[in-house]
Amino acid sequence: MGRREELEKQLDIAQERLDNAPKDVPKETLNAWRQEYDSISFELNNLFDDFETQYE
């Protein structure tokens, strides 16, 4: 599995965790989960793919 696929899977898991968070989850935990989601999303969006750019 390539790095892009790993990040996409992690992003899906992080999104699902945020979407299905119980109402009693502490605010600090939700903020940490949002930061994790943002971090993964940022890395994924800035990932350089040799294969994709090689054939443009």
Side-chain angles (χ1 to χ4, degrees), residues 27-44:
K27 183 179 179 181
E28 295 81 16
T29 302
L30 281 175
N31 288 339
W33 289 351
R34 284 189 191 104
Q35 286 177 345
E36 178 186 27
Y37 176 87
D38 291 343
S39 176
I40 295 168
S41 180
F42 179 81
E43 186 176 351
L44 181 60

Side-chain angles (χ1 to χ4, degrees), residues 6-48:
E6 289 176 21
L7 289 171
E8 289 171 347
K9 184 176 181 180
Q10 289 175 1
L11 193 65
D12 288 342
I13 291 169
Q15 181 66 54
E16 186 174 328
R17 180 173 43 209
L18 284 169
D19 290 345
N20 298 318
K23 294 184 188 276
D24 61 347
V25 172
K27 183 179 179 181
E28 295 81 16
T29 302
L30 281 175
N31 288 339
W33 289 351
R34 284 189 191 104
Q35 286 177 345
E36 178 186 27
Y37 176 87
D38 291 343
S39 176
I40 295 168
S41 180
F42 179 81
E43 186 176 351
L44 181 60
N45 288 332
N46 291 297
L47 188 64
F48 180 77

